[in-house]
């Protein structure tokens, strides 16, 4: 009988210990303080192509033009090649 009660008690305690729960009273970071803005601007002109593992197919690109925000298209992979185009004045 003790083994059954001990098992039930342990199961009940474990059900309440499912890890940390998010604080529901705190708003997400993107809504705190009026929003988050990205201010990254390109300091040089370049093109980065993101390839598949064998570098035979372009799956995504990142284009940077002086003074503009970077433009991402497609998928970013761990196989990039960057082609410098020019320095910014």
């Amino acid at each position: 009988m003790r083994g059954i009660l001990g098992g039930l008690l342990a199961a009940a305690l474990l059900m309440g210990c499912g890890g940390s729960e998010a604080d529901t009273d705190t708003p997400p970071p993107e809504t705190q303080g009026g929003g988050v803005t990205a201010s990254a601007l390109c300091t040089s002109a370049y093109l980065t192509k993101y390839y598949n593992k064998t570098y035979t197919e372009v799956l995504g690109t990142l284009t940077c033009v002086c003074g503009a925000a970077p433009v991402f298209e497609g998928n970013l992979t761990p196989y990039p090649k960057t082609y410098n185009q020019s320095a910014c004045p």
Side-chain angles (χ1 to χ4, degrees), residues 14-42:
L14 288 175
M15 290 176 73
C17 299
S20 63
E21 294 182 16
D23 185 5
T24 57
D25 295 335
T26 305
E30 56 270 2
T31 60
Q32 292 179 2
V36 175
T37 58
S39 60
L41 297 178
C42 297

Side-chain angles (χ1 to χ4, degrees), residues 66-79:
C66 295
V71 177
F72 297 95
E73 293 180 350
N75 296 317
L76 303 180
T77 69
Y79 310 104

